[in-house]
Amino acid sequence: MGAIQAIRGTRDILPNEVSYWQHAEATARTIFQRAQYQEIRTPIFEATELFARGIGEATDVVGKEMYSFTDRGDRALTLRPELTAGVARACIQNGLLKPGSLQRLWYTGPTFRYERPQAGRQRQFHQVGIECLGSDSPLADVEVIALATDLLQALGLRSLQLDINSVGRGEDRQRHRQALVDYLTPHKADLDADSQDRLTRNPLRILDSKNERTQTIVQDAPQLLDYLSPESRRHFEQVQASLNDLGIAYQINPRLVRGLDYYTHTAFEIQSADLGAQATVCGGGRYDGLVATLGGADTPAVGWALGMERLILLLQELQASPTTAPDFYVVSRGAIAQARALVLTQKLRQQGFGLEFDLSGSGFGNQFKRADRSGAIACLILGDEEAAQGKISIKWLPTQTQDTWTQDRLLTSPDSLRQTLAQLRETLAASQT
RNA sequence: GCGAGUGUAGCCAAGAGGUCAAGGCAGUGGAUUGUGGUUCCACCAUGCGUGGGUUCGAAUCCCAUCACUCGCCCCA
C-alpha cells in the first residue's frame, strides 16, 4: 500500500535473470572483438533534433514514440529511441570518419520508446548493435549480417528466419511510391481504414497490411524491387551471392520495409516464431545517407540492432538458468571461530575459490541445510574445537566424508584443493545424468 | 492511441455477498544448543492491485484508477 512501483513499461532485471544477460553480452563481445569491432558508448539522451533529422519526422518513432522533454536550460532533449543516430553523431563530432577509412563499432545500452507495453515490448528496453561505417561494398552488408547470425547461433538459438530486401535509394522509392499511389487510389474505397490513412502518409506500409481484402488488392501492386536502379539491383544481387557463399539461409521479402527513414539498399530482419506479435529479434540495413544528413561527410554505412529483452526471452525458453554454486560453504559457530572463519574465507577467495559465508548465527544443523541448498561441493567447518587448535574441518558433501586439516595446510595447498573439487564435481555431474 | 481480458503471499493458486481467505511450492524456526539432502511439527495475507460506492455485511456487485497480458498500429 502506497509502495512506489517501477513505472509503466519498465522492469527490474533480477539476479535470477541476470545470468542470461551476462551470457548474452559476453558472447556478443567476443564475437564482435573477433571481427575487430570496437565498443562505443554514447549518451542516453541527445538533442531532439538529432532524431527528428536522422530518423525522419514522418516516422512513428519520431512522431509518437519519443520520450522528449526540455531541461532547465530550455534545451529540447530526447531519451534515445535507438542508438544509430547517436553513434553517427559521435563519429562526426569526434572526427572518427576520416576519408577512405573504416569504423567498425558495436554498442549496447538502454533505449526508450513511448509505446503500449506487451510481451517483448517495453518503454525502456535494451539494444545491442553494430555499425560498419565507411564502406559501400555489399560485402560489408554481408559481414554485418553474418555477425548477427553468428551471435544468435553461438547462443544456441534455432528456428530463426532471416528476411532480406532492398529498399533502393531515395529516388527509387519516390518513383515506386508514385506508382503505388497511382495503382491504389482507384481502389481506395475497398481498402481497410488504416490503409486508406496510409495512402498519403506511408503507402509502402499498405503492402504489409494484415487485412485480407487489402491483401488481395495489393497482390498485383507495383513491387519496389522492380523500381530499383541498376546499381541498387546489382548491390542486392551481390549481397545474395555472398550470403549464399557463406551458407546463410535467407528469404527475400519484398514487403520488408523499415520504420526509420535513413535506410537505403539492403534491409533485413531476423524473426522468431516464439515471440508472439513482437517477432523481430534483430533488424537493420544499410543507411548511406544518415551521416551526411547529420552534417558529416558523405559516408556509406550498414548496421543492425538486436533487442536484448526479446533475445533473453528466447534464451530462457531454451535453457535453465546457469547456476552459480560456490566451491565451499563456510559453517562456523562462536564469536572467535566466526571471526577466524571470515579471515580464512577471504584468503581462499583471494586464491580464486568461491565461498559462501554463513551469516545466520543459527545452529550447525541449519547451517548444513543451507550448505546443501547452496550447491557447494564442500563445507568448511570452524567451531570452538577447531579454533582452539588452529584446525579446520572439511566435509566433502557428495561423498559425506570429513577431514580435519590445519588452517595452515588449507591455505597452502590450493592445487590439491582445486583437484579434489574438480573430481567431486565430475562424479556429481555423472551421477546426475 | 484503439479493442478485449486478467489482478488473492516471493511463486502457483481455491474462494462466486454471511465462521477474523483453502491448499501447494519456496522461506524461517524447532525435533537435532557440532553435522545436510528424507521425515515430522510450528510460523508465514488485521488482508484479496489502489481509491471510492452499494449493502446490516464485499476478495465476491458497481464506478474510477493503476499495472500486466493478448490483438491492432509499429518496432528491437
Side-chain angles (χ1 to χ4, degrees), chain A residues 24-38:
Chain A
E25 287 161 358
T27 307
R29 196 167 293 127
T30 64
I31 282 181
F32 298 153
Q33 276 168 359
R34 289 201 300 233
Q36 292 299 303
Y37 279 69
Q38 314 248 299

Side-chain angles (χ1 to χ4, degrees), chain A residues 79-127:
Chain A
L79 300 180
R80 61 189 183 193
E82 54 104 49
L83 303 219
T84 301
V87 168
R89 193 226 81 235
C91 287
I92 297 166
Q93 183 176 338
N94 296 287
L96 299 185
L97 301 172
K98 298 177 194 87
S101 79
L102 208 65
Q103 278 296 335
R104 289 185 165 102
L105 301 169
W106 72 270
Y107 59 73
T108 184
T111 313
F112 305 84
R113 288 184 201 172
Y114 191 92
E115 291 189 273
R116 191 88 171 241
Q118 279 182 29
R121 191 167 80 187
Q122 295 158 222
R123 290 182 173 180
Q124 174 175 335
F125 61 105
H126 297 77
Q127 291 191 335

Side-chain angles (χ1 to χ4, degrees), chain A residues 69-324:
Chain A
F69 59 99
T70 55
D71 71 2
R72 287 163 190 272
D74 260 341
R75 285 172 275 254
L77 305 177
T78 294
L79 300 180
R80 61 189 183 193
E82 54 104 49
L83 303 219
T84 301
V87 168
R89 193 226 81 235
C91 287
I92 297 166
Q93 183 176 338
N94 296 287
L96 299 185
L97 301 172
K98 298 177 194 87
S101 79
L102 208 65
Q103 278 296 335
R104 289 185 165 102
L105 301 169
W106 72 270
Y107 59 73
T108 184
T111 313
F112 305 84
R113 288 184 201 172
Y114 191 92
E115 291 189 273
R116 191 88 171 241
Q118 279 182 29
R121 191 167 80 187
Q122 295 158 222
R123 290 182 173 180
Q124 174 175 335
F125 61 105
H126 297 77
Q127 291 191 335
V128 187
I130 68 176
E131 314 289 357
C132 176
L133 300 115
S135 168
D136 61 4
S137 165
L139 296 181
D141 305 31
V142 174
E143 171 175 287
V144 147
I145 292 173
L147 288 175
T149 55
D150 272 1
L151 171 57
L152 294 167
Q153 196 173 350
L155 290 170
L157 297 177
R158 299 280 177 276
S159 67
L160 295 171
Q161 185 178 316
L162 169 65
D163 279 15
I164 63 172
N165 190 25
S166 176
V167 296
R169 298 240 301 254
E171 311 89 78
D172 307 339
R173 282 206 294 268
Q174 280 302 321
R175 288 191 299 128
H176 171 254
R177 181 189 166 119
Q178 194 52 55
L180 193 59
V181 172
D182 290 347
Y183 170 85
L184 288 172
T185 303
H187 298 96
K188 181 169 180 182
D190 296 325
L191 296 173
D192 60 283
D194 271 334
S195 294
Q196 292 188 18
D197 194 44
R198 282 184 287 210
L199 195 53
T200 49
R201 230 182 56 244
N202 193 352
L204 251 182
R205 282 274 166 211
I206 299 175
L207 298 178
D208 221 4
S209 170
K210 282 167 190 161
N211 182 284
E212 272 180 45
R213 194 148 164 212
T214 300
Q215 265 310 315
T216 61
I217 295 170
V218 147
Q219 224 136 52
D220 300 319
Q223 297 263 316
L224 177 53
L225 286 177
D226 297 327
Y227 284 76
L228 295 183
S229 66
E231 176 216 343
S232 193
R233 192 164 311 183
R234 226 173 92 82
H235 186 100
F236 192 41
E237 280 162 7
Q238 287 176 356
V239 166
Q240 292 169 50
S242 182
L243 284 172
N244 291 337
D245 289 344
L246 287 172
I248 296 174
Y250 60 88
Q251 226 177 45
I252 295 174
N253 177 356
R255 288 189 229 131
L256 173 64
V257 286
R258 313 257 60 227
L260 315 181
D261 279 357
Y262 54 58
Y263 286 105
T264 54
H265 300 294
T266 313
F268 71 92
E269 244 174 50
I270 299 174
Q271 303 201 328
S272 165
D274 304 324
L275 284 173
Q278 315 305 325
T280 303
V281 190
C282 178
R286 176 162 281 282
Y287 52 95
D288 289 345
L290 178 65
V291 174
T293 303
L294 296 177
D298 224 330
T299 307
V302 231
W304 50 255
L306 184 150
M308 282 296 285
E309 278 78 2
R310 291 179 189 177
L311 180 65
I312 300 302
L313 285 175
L314 294 174
L315 287 179
Q316 285 177 321
E317 282 173 19
L318 207 68
Q319 55 193 252
S321 175
T323 53
T324 52

Side-chain angles (χ1 to χ4, degrees), chain A residues 25-66:
Chain A
E25 287 161 358
T27 307
R29 196 167 293 127
T30 64
I31 282 181
F32 298 153
Q33 276 168 359
R34 289 201 300 233
Q36 292 299 303
Y37 279 69
Q38 314 248 299
E39 182 174 5
I40 185 169
R41 305 189 186 192
T42 63
I44 277 176
F45 58 94
E46 299 266 5
T48 298
E49 194 197 350
L50 172 67
F51 304 115
R53 231 158 77 184
I55 298 174
E57 300 273 8
T59 61
D60 277 10
V61 169
V62 171
K64 56 182 195 190
E65 294 172 4
M66 294 208 297

